[in-house]
Amino acid sequence: WYQRRVRVTGLLVGGFLFAHVGRKKTAMVAITFSFIIHLSGTFCHNFSFLLAIRYFQGLFEFVATTGLLILQLELMPAKYRNLMNGFGAVMWAAGYPIVAAMGYFVYS
């Protein structure tokens, strides 16, 4: 339930900012804030504060990935957009087993 609320918030905030500020500026600001929040979450020892950090981390990452995907598809020629969407989906789907295998076989 928590992840869905983060995505809906990211969708609403991102959609508003994409329309009024622009996709490139919004995505760059979201990536910058996501980086800062990742670093602050690394050194956090308070669970409540960490929960808030994770919320904003998901919000900014959703805004950044959505904005960059839309920007990427807008910059592609129209005849290659479906191919690029399919390529991105295959790379995303192929990444899950690789990350799971790394987690299984690589010991810390």
Side-chain angles (χ1 to χ4, degrees), residues 29-103:
V29 167
I31 288 171
T32 304
F33 280 129
S34 179
F35 173 73
I36 292 168
I37 288 174
H38 268 87
L39 286 179
S40 64
T42 303
F43 303 109
C44 179
H45 298 293
N46 184 355
F47 182 73
S48 300
F49 187 59
L50 183 63
L51 188 64
I53 286 174
R54 293 298 181 213
Y55 180 82
F56 287 110
Q57 179 182 354
L59 174 103
F60 288 124
E61 285 186 8
F62 186 79
V63 170
T65 55
T66 305
L68 290 176
L69 177 67
I70 293 170
L71 189 63
Q72 168 191 337
L73 291 176
E74 285 178 349
L75 295 175
M76 271 308 233
K79 65 181 183 177
Y80 296 120
R81 287 183 186 160
N82 286 336
L83 182 67
M84 184 53 74
N85 255 349
F87 179 73
V90 167
M91 291 295 110
W92 186 265
Y96 279 120
I98 292 171
V99 170
M102 286 174 57

